[in-house]
Amino acid sequence: MDELTVNNLLGVENLTNNDFELIFNTANRFKEVINRPIKKVPSLRDITIANLFFENSTRTKLSFELAEKRLSADVVNFSASQSSISKGETLVDTVNNILAMKVDMIVIRHPHPGSAKFLSENINSQIINAGDGTHEHPTQALLDCFSLKEKFGDLKGKHIAIIGDIIHSRVALSNIFALKALGAEVMICGPKSLLPKYSRSLNVKVETDLIKALRWCDAANILRVQNERMNLNFFPSTREYFKLYGLNKEKLELIKKPITILHPGPINRGVEITSEVADSENAIILDQVENGVAIRMAVIYLLASKIKNITN
Ligand code: CP
């Protein structure tokens, strides 16, 4: 059987083209499974997975948990606010205690960039990064690319714009790595204050004019304004942000062509996107959410296959 080149999913930067193909093909199979009346396979009944969320989440947390349950894994959920972390226990001690209870795999979301990599270097378990601060969100990029491939087929030469709060976004960085690996042309667009200083080193087009970005792209991934990561004022007011960068029907009408709209969620309706656009037929936002379960099933299944003899 083909296998992933990596033992942990810490980011998409180091995945090979074969890894992407294997994940997407496996996700296609699992998407068929989760649309059956009985949405489960017995593949991971010998595996126990702990979901460690040190940051709030709706989509990623539920999607991982559903993916694990659809694969018949045993699941334990850990929420930082109710744990002994508040009593001074270190991350490594916490995770080692969880592993002592015979847990096989760790899914971690953490506010600190590099936390998933740090864990992978200090504990003896497989790790999946479910978002580490402003660094990477690999399963989000995989599900975004999978959803775009469903729409366009091959992504080679497709123009994909990532729009909004790039500087605070782990979704942007993972998407840039994944889209470029799959042959797409990538543009980032936002106010100068929300574009990272290292933008040019990412080898992507950089634009501050939203209408120009919309005219250029086949699909636009609209990012949430991440107020929780802003300790300064990055723009004068929400009203001004919406006027210049909020996606609405009037701006889309100016470009006189349909484009596909993505959003990783959660959406701030009326800030980065209007309801009219988010709920329009060109938006694939709920397809992204559906595909998230299939992608996470694929990643968990392929990683688990590297440590256990798994049969379907
Ligand atoms: N897209 C995403 O990561 O959403 P959550 O923060 O709800 O998990």
Side-chain angles (χ1 to χ4, degrees), residues 179-195:
L179 287 164
K180 283 169 57 71
L182 295 167
E185 285 190 44
V186 183
M187 174 185 281
I188 54 176
C189 171
K192 259 200 174 135
S193 58
L194 292 177
L195 295 173

Side-chain angles (χ1 to χ4, degrees), residues 59-76:
R59 276 144 294 272
T60 312
K61 187 166 185 285
L62 287 180
S63 180
F64 266 111
E65 191 175 342
L66 275 173
E68 291 150 5
K69 289 179 171 168
R70 304 273 191 247
L71 290 165
S72 302
D74 288 323
V75 179
V76 284

Side-chain angles (χ1 to χ4, degrees), residues 11-244:
V12 289
E13 195 177 5
N14 298 321
L15 294 183
T16 64
N17 283 358
N18 199 45
D19 290 332
F20 281 108
E21 202 181 320
L22 185 57
I23 293 168
F24 293 147
N25 289 343
T26 312
N28 262 323
R29 274 179 25 225
F30 286 134
K31 186 161 180 183
E32 189 264 315
V33 169
I34 59 178
N35 279 291
R36 287 183 202 157
I38 295 172
K39 306 172 178 60
K40 278 183 97 143
V41 286
S43 318
L44 297 200
R45 48 181 187 240
D46 294 336
I47 300 269
T48 304
I49 303 175
N51 299 316
L52 274 54
F53 278 72
F54 293 86
E55 240 188 24
N56 293 341
S57 167
T58 301
R59 276 144 294 272
T60 312
K61 187 166 185 285
L62 287 180
S63 180
F64 266 111
E65 191 175 342
L66 275 173
E68 291 150 5
K69 289 179 171 168
R70 304 273 191 247
L71 290 165
S72 302
D74 288 323
V75 179
V76 284
N77 288 308
F78 168 97
S79 156
S81 59
Q82 290 153 12
S83 75
S84 295
I85 292 265
S86 59
K87 299 175 191 162
E89 190 170 62
T90 67
L91 180 61
V92 170
D93 280 343
T94 300
V95 177
N96 273 329
N97 276 273
I98 293 168
L99 293 177
M101 297 180 223
K102 306 299 171 209
V103 165
D104 302 292
M105 191 184 286
I106 299 288
V107 174
I108 180 166
R109 168 169 287 194
H110 200 282
H112 292 157
S115 47
K117 184 165 188 291
F118 168 78
L119 259 197
S120 74
E121 289 163 354
N122 288 283
I123 62 161
N124 186 18
S125 169
Q126 286 186 303
I127 311 282
I128 299 178
N129 179 6
D132 61 332
T134 53
H135 179 224
E136 277 226 42
H137 192 348
T139 53
Q140 180 69 46
L142 288 166
L143 74 88
D144 289 345
C145 290
F146 183 83
S147 304
L148 284 167
K149 278 170 70 64
E150 277 187 337
K151 183 83 187 173
F152 296 126
D154 199 348
L155 296 189
K156 271 201 185 72
K158 285 281 175 261
H159 288 187
I160 314 296
I162 304 172
I163 292 170
D165 182 2
I166 311 287
I167 199 168
H168 299 108
S169 176
R170 53 192 171 215
V171 175
L173 200 56
S174 287
N175 260 272
I176 290 167
F177 292 142
L179 287 164
K180 283 169 57 71
L182 295 167
E185 285 190 44
V186 183
M187 174 185 281
I188 54 176
C189 171
K192 259 200 174 135
S193 58
L194 292 177
L195 295 173
K197 286 207 173 70
Y198 56 82
S199 292
R200 298 279 167 201
S201 69
L202 294 169
N203 270 327
V204 294
K205 293 183 188 303
V206 181
E207 181 57 73
T208 53
D209 182 328
L210 176 63
I211 302 302
K212 282 189 186 161
L214 295 175
R215 282 194 213 288
W216 174 85
C217 72
D218 300 301
N221 198 344
I222 311 298
L223 301 179
R224 181 172 66 86
V225 174
Q226 292 155 82
N227 289 312
E228 76 278 18
R229 300 211 177 98
M230 294 188 195
N231 49 7
L232 299 166
N233 286 336
F234 282 75
F235 47 84
S237 70
T238 300
R239 206 164 66 141
E240 182 172 296
Y241 183 87
F242 179 73
K243 188 163 165 241
L244 292 172

